[in-house]
Amino acid sequence: ELLGQIDNTKSPNKKQEDIGSIIIECATMLNFKVKEKQLSIITNLPPEPIYIRVNREKINRVINNLIGNAIKFSHAKQVIEITLEDDDADALIKIKDNGIGIPDNLKHEVFDIFTDSKRCGTLGEKPFGLGLYISRQIIEAHGGSITFESREGEETTFYIRLPKNAA
């Protein structure tokens, strides 16, 4: 079943979507977890919508996963910041937390399938180890890229770059 889910990321059914509305939908859907940990989410969206050709369900899954990870790895009363920028030919999404960060020795494998870089969340939340692998597959199937910067014990920022004029 897992391989079916991963293979399901290929040739997504794409439509023009307002990427900002997807971000708001995901942040709203995870609000109960945010409140559980006494966190805050700040969304920084441009005044004008950014429309890109995506499979809404798949992109929703990626953003949910990244916000979910930010929640999981943040300590109580921290802020998660989600920013959407119009970057010429691309839409750039940044999801930043002030959590536990990713140790240098694990950074090279966070996108690997069945990685050993799995860690429990700050309240003991269980890791699955597939979310970032599947997220990368989905973003690449959309002609985009996903990267991150992290400082252990301080913060992690994930960057999703999606082309605005993809076929």
Side-chain angles (χ1 to χ4, degrees):
E1 183 183 347
L2 168 65
L3 293 178
Q5 287 178 1
I6 293 167
D7 190 50
N8 194 18
T9 63
K10 302 291 185 240
S11 42
N13 195 7
K14 299 176 185 174
K15 290 191 277 199
Q16 285 291 115
E17 299 280 359
D18 172 5
I19 196 71
S21 74
I22 295 174
I23 290 169
I24 295 298
E25 182 181 311
C26 292
T28 302
M29 199 163 68
L30 292 168
N31 201 39
F32 73 99
K33 285 188 175 184
V34 169
K35 286 182 176 171
E36 216 173 70
K37 282 183 111 169
Q38 300 175 296
L39 302 169
S40 301
I41 290 185
I42 297 172
T43 53
N44 301 307
L45 305 179
E48 297 297 318
I50 299 175
Y51 290 94
I52 55 177
R53 199 164 166 72
V54 296
N55 177 314
R56 186 178 188 97
E57 181 184 324
K58 302 281 185 217
I59 296 302
N60 191 306
R61 183 175 180 180
V62 171
I63 294 171
N64 266 328
N65 179 61
L66 293 176
I67 296 172
N69 282 352
I71 294 166
K72 183 191 300 187
F73 296 115
S74 289
H75 296 286
K77 300 181 179 168
Q78 293 295 318
V79 174
I80 296 167
E81 194 171 343
I82 305 167
T83 304
L84 172 61
E85 295 176 2
D86 191 332
D87 189 27
D88 294 327
D90 298 326
L92 177 62
I93 302 165
K94 300 176 189 175
I95 300 174
K96 178 183 184 286
D97 67 54
N98 295 293
I100 64 174
I102 301 168
D104 288 342
N105 66 321
L106 298 178
K107 287 179 179 177
H108 69 284
E109 59 185 73
V110 297
F111 292 111
D112 293 353
I113 189 167
F114 306 125
T115 177
D116 289 330
S117 67
K118 296 182 281 198
R119 296 185 302 154
C120 288
T122 56
L123 291 180
E125 301 97 326
K126 297 286 180 237
F128 298 104
L130 291 170
L132 291 176
Y133 173 80
I134 293 170
S135 293
R136 183 174 66 180
Q137 301 304 307
I138 291 170
I139 295 301
E140 289 178 353
H142 281 79
S145 64
I146 181 170
T147 58
F148 70 93
E149 293 175 341
S150 185
R151 288 195 307 272
E152 188 174 4
E154 293 181 37
E155 66 184 33
T156 300
T157 304
F158 276 88
Y159 302 92
I160 301 170
R161 188 172 287 281
L162 289 166
K164 291 192 295 193
N165 299 317

